[in-house]
Each structure stands twice: as C-alpha cells, then as structure tokens.
Amino acid sequence: MKKTIFLVGLVLVMTTIATAQECSKYYPMIEGATLQYTNYNKKDKPEGVATYKVTHVETSGDVTNATMAIELKDEKGKEIYKTDYSFKCSGNMVTIDYESLVPSSMFEQYEGMEMDISGTDIELPNDLSVGQQLSDANVTVKISMGGINMNTTVDMVNRKVEKQESVTTPAGTFNCYVIYSDNMMKAMMVKQSMPSRVWYAEGVGMIKQESYNKAGKSIGTTVLTAFSK
C-alpha cells in the first residue's frame, strides 16, 4: 500500500484561524500544518511513511486555495516519491483536487511521459451526519507512450457517512466520522475494486484509512502518527 494512497482527504487551508474555522470544520486550516502517516500492509507491518504539509494558502473573497506537499518514504526511510496537489474551501464545502486520486506509483512509473489528467474533484461538506450520501469523484489519466495511448480510470462511488466512532492512534484519540466508498480502478483491460473507509476528526482531518479486497478483508491501513500546526 505504500505507493497507492489514493484517498487522502487532507485539506488544510486559510491564512488565519478564525477565517479557517468558518471555512472548514474538520481541518486546522493553518499554513505549515503537518501530518505524518504510517502505511501498514495486510499483515500490519509498516511499509512506509507519508508526510503532508500545507505549503501555501491564498484567500480571495470567500474562497481559499491551498497547496499540499507530499513526501513518501519507504520502511527504510528512503525517499520514493514527492508531489503536491491543490484544494480549496468555499462556504460549507472543501474541494480536493481530483489528481489526488491518481495512485502515486503511476506518477513514479511514467515520470517524463506525456500525461493528460481530467476528472471530478472530491467534496467534503462541513455538515457531516450519519447516513449522509456524498458526491462521487473520479479521475482519468491518459498516457502517451511512443504513439500508444494508455488510459487509466479511478472512480470513487457510493460514498456515504457510515457512523461515528472513537479511534486511537500514536497521535492521540479522536472522535471521528467514518466515510465509506467503493473505489474502482480500470487500466487497459484490467479492472480492480478496492472498497475503503476513511476516519475524519474535527480540527485535524484524516485520522485513518483502510482498504479492503472484494471479500471485505483488510489489505492495507494508513494511520496518523504525528500532527503539528
């Protein structure tokens, strides 16, 4: 799972705490805020560490745009991937760039090749409630390789708020909303289904993410291990 973190709802924005709290209920909204996650495989063995940091925020009217920098290291501490993506906050909604749905392994594998990326952003409203249905999201990547085009599609569908529960990680204990989604990836003629759950806590963001196979067994977990703002 260390190269396939495709559902990371980490949305940290704003220039001041007061403005930020009006914009998003679930994130600290501070430039420089940093979250560290450890990725575990299905045997609960660590496979790497991902660090997310808000590097830039800019507010215009009632819309705030921000940039999140991501650094991924393997279990030995070797850097294997770096990138960033954008997100914005407006009114009652945080919107995350659809490019965050692209598996990081794809950027690494096809680095330097021509890539055309399109899709629908991930939305996370402030007023979450158990049973609530959320909008779908998707991304399509077209890669040109020597005159041959390869298309990959990731669809995040059936998103819903399942429940509330308390989760304890090395970063602390958090009261969370749990969001379930069916994540379907299609590359060439190969289809893969990977349901997942994400735990969100007010003022922090994503606390935990777990992915499953078709039988419902866990195949990988991402856990918040450090947080600062």
Side-chain angles (χ1 to χ4, degrees), residues 128-149:
L128 294 178
S129 60
V130 176
Q132 182 178 6
Q133 298 291 322
L134 304 179
S135 299
D136 296 342
N138 66 78
V139 65
T140 297
V141 182
K142 297 180 180 179
I143 303 172
S144 179
M145 300 182 296
I148 300 175
N149 294 323

Side-chain angles (χ1 to χ4, degrees), residues 27-45:
Y27 297 93
M29 304 296 193
I30 301 171
E31 186 173 299
T34 303
L35 301 98
Q36 183 186 80
Y37 295 88
T38 299
N39 306 318
Y40 298 90
N41 62 20
K42 62 182 180 181
K43 296 182 179 180
D44 205 31
K45 293 183 178 181

Side-chain angles (χ1 to χ4, degrees):
M1 291 298 294
K2 62 184 178 182
K3 296 183 180 180
T4 56
I5 310 171
F6 57 80
L7 179 62
V8 180
L10 304 176
V11 190
L12 312 173
V13 234
M14 295 293 162
T15 54
T16 67
I17 295 177
T19 302
Q21 296 306 323
E22 292 175 2
C23 187
S24 174
K25 181 178 179 181
Y26 290 95
Y27 297 93
M29 304 296 193
I30 301 171
E31 186 173 299
T34 303
L35 301 98
Q36 183 186 80
Y37 295 88
T38 299
N39 306 318
Y40 298 90
N41 62 20
K42 62 182 180 181
K43 296 182 179 180
D44 205 31
K45 293 183 178 181
E47 288 196 329
V49 174
T51 301
Y52 294 74
K53 183 177 182 179
V54 181
T55 57
H56 178 74
V57 294
E58 182 176 349
T59 300
S60 178
D62 64 349
V63 178
T64 294
N65 291 283
T67 301
M68 177 78 79
I70 307 169
E71 181 181 54
L72 183 63
K73 296 182 179 181
D74 64 19
E75 65 277 13
K76 296 180 180 179
K78 179 182 178 181
E79 181 184 300
I80 58 176
Y81 180 69
K82 290 180 73 173
T83 190
D84 56 48
Y85 63 86
S86 63
F87 49 96
K88 67 180 180 181
C89 185
S90 177
N92 188 46
M93 187 75 66
V94 172
T95 306
I96 307 163
D97 189 350
Y98 54 76
E99 287 194 26
S100 66
L101 288 169
V102 181
S104 56
S105 56
M106 182 174 293
F107 286 115
E108 184 180 8
Q109 183 177 357
Y110 299 107
E111 182 178 4
M113 295 185 181
E114 183 178 345
M115 300 179 69
D116 180 22
I117 304 175
S118 60
T120 303
D121 292 337
I122 307 167
E123 294 183 346
L124 184 69
N126 287 328
D127 56 349
L128 294 178
S129 60
V130 176
Q132 182 178 6
Q133 298 291 322
L134 304 179
S135 299
D136 296 342
N138 66 78
V139 65
T140 297
V141 182
K142 297 180 180 179
I143 303 172
S144 179
M145 300 182 296
I148 300 175
N149 294 323
M150 185 183 76
N151 295 339
T152 297
T153 302
V154 177
D155 292 303
M156 183 188 295
V157 300
N158 300 324
R159 297 178 67 216
K160 62 183 179 182
V161 183
E162 278 191 328
K163 56 185 176 180
Q164 281 185 285
E165 69 178 16
S166 178
V167 174
T168 298
T169 78
T173 298
F174 307 90
N175 184 35
C176 301
Y177 277 104
V178 183
I179 297 179
Y180 172 88
S181 66
D182 289 319
N183 307 295
M184 295 174 286
M185 182 174 178
K186 181 180 179 181
M188 303 299 284
M189 300 301 292
V190 179
K191 294 182 180 180
Q192 182 179 11
S193 177
M194 191 179 298
S196 71
R197 288 182 173 86
V198 181
W199 284 254
Y200 287 101
E202 184 175 339
V204 180
M206 192 186 86
I207 304 301
K208 178 181 174 182
Q209 176 189 359
E210 189 164 15
S211 298
Y212 311 90
N213 60 20
K214 291 182 178 181
K217 294 183 178 181
S218 177
I219 57 175
T221 306
T222 298
V223 175
L224 180 69
T225 46
F227 170 64
S228 64
K229 60 180 179 179

